[in-house]
Amino acid sequence: MATGSKTAERDDDVESREAVVERLLASMTWEQKLAQLQIGYRPRLEEAKELVRAGIGGVFWPRSAAAANELQRAAVEETPHGIPLLIGLDVIHGQRTTFPVPLAQAASFEPGIAETDARISAAEAASGGVNWTFSPMIDVSRDPRWGRVVEGFGEDTRLNSVFGAAKIRGYQGDSLADDNSILACAKHFVAYGQAEGGRDYNTVDVSVQRLRNIYLEPFRAAVDAGAASVMAAFNTVSGRPAHVNEDLLTKILKEEWGFEGVVVGDADGVQNLMAHGVATDIADGLGQSFRAGLDVEMGGNVVDTDGNTPLSPAEVPLQRVDDAVRRVLRLKHSLGLFSNPYRDEASEILAPSGQSRAAARHAAEKSIVLLKNEDALLPLDPAPKRVLLVGPYAASSDHLGAWVQSFAEPAGTLAEAIRAECPDWSVTVMEGSPFFQSDPALLDAAVAAAAEHDVVIVAAGEPSALTGEASSRSDLRLPGGQEALIAAIAGTGKPFAVILFNGRPLVTSAWIDLAPSVLEAWHLGLEGPAAVARTLTGAANPGGRLPMTFPRSSSQIPIYYDHENTGRPASISATLDEGDIDVGLMGPDNLGDVFTSKYKDLPLGPQFSFGHGLSYTTFSYGQPQLATEELPLEALHSGTKVSLKIQLTNTGNRTGDEVTLLFIHDRTASLAQPVRRLRAFTRTSLDPGQTKTLEFSLGWEDLGFWDNEGSYLVEAGEFDIYIGGGLDDTAHHVLRLTQ
Ligand code: BGC
């Protein structure tokens, strides 16, 4: 089996597995071996069956347990070796029960949310015959123009590592042989999140140190967590497409990290090598990919339905092909497919259960971020009042998010959820603006209606169709007439709150100062509307934090918290005064600070930083206690940890959650270091007046960095350690590492 203790097999299982694998391998022809090295997609069952009869090793899920059984039966009964199938599907944030999109889950800063999602999703998917998911996506994402930021865990490396590992544990469970376990797939290997201009599939050119420090780390954590598979990315990495990148697929992943699972290509990623201009034809692409370390091609180009392959034994060493086949067969064995590849059709889970809905609701509530709350406008008390709910999301059911499964349970609307949650309110629902155009008549009607109501809730956002794969955007403002709607509602003088439903950071600068209260509600899945309704009334208290920076302008991208200082950092105190542009100053009031790193026409810093998020209660921190202020490097290297304690108190009058973030800054090093790096985080729920002591520890793996030669260095010197509720609000200590 793949690596990692969670999915480790007993010695006798391994022995029998190896015996089965070697027996098969010894009797397979070149073509039969290659047939195992692909996963094919054919929407029609009969066509999929033809591939299976030709000996293909994996197929995409044919949509039911009965159909999956039919394909397994064809594989077992109608092929010479009777090898069962891997059956794959993108089970990303739910199968029947849809959880919040991964970016929203990251906002919970509670990895247990991701693990529970994966566990429930695995059980639902496995019951229908799926045994392999192409999840989690752990591409560190610092460019919100890229639509796929929604599928991952945001801009921070540690957050991606921790959430990715949690997902893998959830999908794979304690043992792959369990009925409810499926193979996980860490994707996309690697640096896909750095596509130039945020344009999907675009070029990635990256230094070794950045590749290792930022993009590879979550994959290393995934391998440590026992990920059974890893998917090669579509992009080039410094000129070489990931699919044919031996340095990445073999040297780093398999040799340096000891990854024993399967490297799968992305959909038609081998075919795309011709467009990349590195392969002349499919045979050339396949040959290069397998030689570089790819084990399974996604698309089905390796063997045709007659079982013939364009690859000759001269193109890929037999040893390499045998290694790939072994990896595939071992996974099949670990899943228990050789003993029983069939599912009980009567037990297929076709709809959410009460329990899975409750988990999805919990996850949705934990993922909401309170961006602003002037004069504590929120929560709204449930006492009778006239509420105008306006905006394209008021009556929309588009809550499931980017990887919505066509067969998933549909979500309801916010209007329905608010009416159910607050039966004493009189709620008027209006569109105000369509998603994509302006409509003055709708706008005027909304403004007129506002006068007749006590409070207005604007439900605005970015439809999920604008997020996900191939959904890059150059302008991150709310689409259509939504900004005008918010401004018009602000103009009425009525108290109002904005709720945002979106799958990426948005640019809110045109209206954010006009809105007293703003809730970031992402695409929260099946139970999203109910979670939002409960948060509006205070039945749930928001405690999520932003996992990605919200820029002031799309032109400020990429912008992320763990940037380098530069040789000429600008003063962070400068702001853009409203009148500056009118008087021709064209910039923040730090223009005297001429030769510093900034934009002349923007205030410094983002609109909302990574880690930002408020609550309906308040928290305070005590003085942090660092167990030691000085430590020899040698002690750190041999396992000594630096421990840190801090007291957290809920000083408000509601139960609530606080996310505590621990950042470091290596003051002087041989390579420029980020101004802050998140090393640990925890989320704590406290009752009013309750205090808890939080404990963290920092070790060798937390205090070093990778250099451009691929070495991991921990250097002597001073480290700032910041701990608290966010980037601005942090107590500070200095740790000295000595030679
Ligand atoms: C995506 C992958 C996905 C695959 C299979 C590709 O287009 O990039 O993330 O797993 O399709 O659906």
Side-chain angles (χ1 to χ4, degrees):
M1 173 36 239
T3 57
S5 55
K6 275 297 191 187
T7 46
E9 290 171 278
R10 295 194 321 265
D11 285 352
D12 48 347
D13 290 339
V14 172
E15 229 169 79
S16 81
R17 182 193 72 190
E18 289 308 293
V20 169
V21 169
E22 293 309 321
R23 178 177 50 75
L24 284 169
L25 202 61
S27 61
M28 289 166 83
T29 64
W30 173 253
E31 287 79 9
Q32 287 165 345
K33 287 176 181 174
L34 284 168
Q36 284 297 309
L37 306 186
Q38 58 184 333
I39 172 159
Y41 176 70
R42 293 289 182 281
R44 293 187 43 242
L45 190 62
E46 279 315 307
E47 288 175 10
K49 222 189 260 181
E50 276 177 37
L51 289 180
V52 172
R53 289 194 187 106
I56 196 168
V59 289
F60 272 70
W61 188 53
R63 299 293 178 111
S64 69
N69 284 346
E70 207 172 318
L71 292 181
Q72 291 287 18
R73 201 165 297 114
V76 171
E77 294 176 6
E78 299 179 48
T79 65
H81 296 93
I83 301 172
L85 296 165
L86 290 178
I87 300 186
L89 182 71
D90 291 280
V91 184
I92 308 289
H93 55 107
Q95 177 78 341
R96 306 288 176 172
T97 311
T98 307
F99 280 74
V101 292
L103 186 64
Q105 294 189 27
S108 75
F109 279 79
E110 197 168 289
I113 297 278
E115 187 165 344
T116 302
D117 156 20
R119 200 81 285 267
I120 289 173
S121 301
E124 291 181 354
S127 78
V130 175
N131 52 37
W132 189 9
T133 177
F134 307 118
S135 172
M137 182 182 110
I138 47 176
D139 296 311
V140 173
S141 306
R142 294 159 157 199
D143 192 329
R145 291 171 297 185
W146 190 46
R148 302 199 79 168
V149 303
V150 69
E151 296 177 53
F153 302 109
E155 76 187 36
D156 181 66
T157 298
R158 199 40 73 88
L159 202 55
N160 272 281
S161 302
V162 172
F163 270 78
K167 277 276 218 181
I168 290 162
R169 282 196 302 275
Y171 290 127
Q172 298 191 168
D174 290 335
S175 162
L176 286 179
D178 286 351
D179 272 358
N180 292 338
S181 293
I182 59 179
L183 308 175
C185 181
K187 72 186 188 186
H188 307 84
F189 194 70
V190 61
Y192 188 22
Q194 199 181 282
E196 284 181 2
R199 211 181 73 218
D200 208 357
Y201 318 121
N202 204 9
T203 305
V204 173
D205 202 331
V206 62
S207 66
V208 172
Q209 64 95 12
R210 178 172 283 196
L211 186 66
R212 287 204 173 248
N213 287 310
I214 306 299
Y215 296 108
L216 283 172
E217 278 299 285
F219 286 92
R220 210 161 63 97
V223 171
D224 285 348
S229 66
V230 168
M231 184 183 289
F234 284 130
N235 51 281
T236 54
V237 180
S238 307
R240 186 173 292 280
H243 281 66
V244 292
N245 203 314
E246 189 177 352
D247 284 347
L248 292 170
L249 302 187
T250 299
K251 294 199 179 129
I252 294 182
L253 180 60
K254 291 180 175 173
E255 291 174 4
E256 187 179 323
W257 299 348
F259 174 65
E260 293 174 7
V262 157
V263 179
V264 61
D266 203 344
D268 287 328
V270 173
Q271 186 100 34
N272 296 167
L273 293 171
M274 289 180 267
H276 273 300
V278 302
T280 49
D281 54 24
I282 191 72
D284 183 25
L286 286 168
Q288 290 192 49
S289 301
F290 287 135
R291 287 200 301 275
L294 196 84
D295 299 308
V296 169
E297 185 256 357
M298 183 182 281
N301 290 299
V302 188
V303 168
D304 64 19
T305 41
D306 295 324
N308 299 318
T309 174
L311 264 188
S312 83
E315 280 165 298
V316 189
L318 182 60
Q319 220 185 338
R320 174 73 267 280
V321 168
D322 283 353
D323 169 55
V325 176
R326 279 194 184 95
R327 288 168 183 265
V328 169
L329 296 181
R330 283 180 187 142
L331 285 185
K332 292 183 174 183
H333 192 276
S334 300
L335 282 166
L337 297 178
F338 285 103
S339 332
N340 179 16
Y342 305 112
R343 300 300 309 204
D344 173 15
E345 292 165 24
S347 311
E348 182 174 2
I349 302 170
L350 297 172
S353 65
Q355 214 184 354
S356 69
R357 273 185 178 273
R361 167 94 57 99
H362 176 77
E365 289 178 2
K366 295 283 174 185
S367 304
I368 294 174
V369 183
L370 180 60
L371 293 177
K372 264 190 91 171
N373 201 16
E374 277 169 16
D375 304 327
L377 176 76
L378 293 179
L380 301 170
D381 71 66
K385 58 174 69 63
R386 294 165 307 164
V387 174
L388 172 63
L389 175 63
V390 63
Y393 260 108
S396 164
S397 57
D398 177 35
H399 293 285
L400 296 188
W403 267 105
V404 51
Q405 312 279 23
S406 54
F407 40 82
E409 185 80 359
T413 69
L414 184 61
E416 290 159 1
I418 289 180
R419 287 189 168 123
E421 180 68 20
C422 307
D424 294 336
W425 291 0
S426 144
V427 182
T428 310
V429 179
M430 300 182 87
E431 191 178 3
S433 163
F435 274 123
F436 294 112
Q437 310 91 34
S438 300
D439 185 329
L442 290 179
L443 185 74
D444 293 348
V447 169
E452 310 299 318
H453 291 80
D454 303 310
V455 64
V456 182
I457 299 167
V458 182
E462 175 198 51
S464 61
L466 293 185
T467 70
E469 188 174 349
S471 299
S472 297
R473 292 180 70 203
S474 65
D475 180 350
L476 300 188
R477 291 176 296 177
L478 285 170
Q482 299 186 77
E483 291 197 332
L485 173 65
I486 296 172
I489 295 296
T492 67
K494 284 286 170 184
F496 76 104
V498 175
I499 308 171
L500 292 174
F501 298 90
N502 47 293
R504 57 152 64 80
L506 296 176
V507 168
T508 60
S509 49
W511 55 268
I512 195 76
D513 292 339
L514 305 174
S517 292
V518 183
L519 273 181
E520 172 52 74
W522 314 106
H523 295 135
L524 289 176
L526 179 61
E527 291 291 319
V532 171
R534 283 169 47 78
T535 306
L536 277 173
T537 62
N541 188 351
R545 299 298 181 83
L546 294 182
M548 274 187 92
T549 303
F550 275 41
R552 291 178 188 275
S553 139
S554 303
S555 312
Q556 213 183 12
I557 298 166
I559 179 168
Y560 46 90
Y561 85 93
D562 52 343
H563 58 86
E564 292 166 17
N565 204 29
T566 79
R568 294 187 172 194
S571 150
I572 54 162
S573 62
T575 54
L576 180 71
D577 286 339
E578 295 249 324
D580 286 349
I581 290 177
D582 296 342
V583 297
L585 193 58
M586 280 303 290
D589 59 7
N590 68 339
L591 285 188
D593 196 13
V594 183
F595 295 106
T596 60
S597 184
K598 62 178 179 292
Y599 296 102
K600 279 194 163 177
D601 54 354
L602 278 181
L604 298 181
Q607 189 74 55
F608 294 111
S609 35
F610 172 85
H612 173 76
L614 309 172
S615 167
Y616 296 156
T617 187
T618 51
F619 293 90
S620 80
Y621 286 92
Q623 276 304 310
Q625 289 157 13
L626 201 58
T628 170
E629 291 187 355
E630 197 167 292
L631 193 72
L633 275 177
E634 210 185 289
L636 192 72
H637 193 208
S638 52
T640 305
K641 302 248 182 203
V642 180
S643 79
L644 203 131
K645 287 187 186 167
I646 194 162
Q647 277 200 338
L648 173 67
T649 305
N650 180 343
T651 49
N653 50 17
R654 280 174 184 271
T655 297
D657 292 4
E658 169 73 351
V659 173
T660 305
L661 304 164
L662 189 157
F663 298 99
I664 63 159
H665 169 226
D666 185 347
R667 284 189 182 175
T668 314
S670 52
L671 289 181
Q673 291 300 300
V675 293
R676 294 270 200 289
R677 272 172 91 197
L678 184 71
R679 300 287 78 190
F681 58 88
T682 188
R683 180 169 176 151
T684 316
S685 192
L686 292 178
D687 291 331
Q690 200 186 348
T691 294
K692 194 175 168 191
T693 302
L694 310 179
E695 286 195 52
F696 298 91
S697 68
L698 292 169
W700 180 257
E701 64 289 357
D702 300 307
L703 294 166
F705 59 90
W706 296 90
D707 69 8
N708 278 310
E709 281 68 51
S711 303
Y712 183 75
L713 308 175
V714 184
E715 297 182 340
E718 290 182 336
F719 290 74
D720 298 303
I721 298 179
Y722 298 91
I723 183 160
L727 278 166
D728 302 329
D729 157 36
T730 46
H732 173 216
H733 253 289
V734 179
L735 169 70
R736 202 163 295 106
L737 294 183
T738 56
Q739 278 300 348

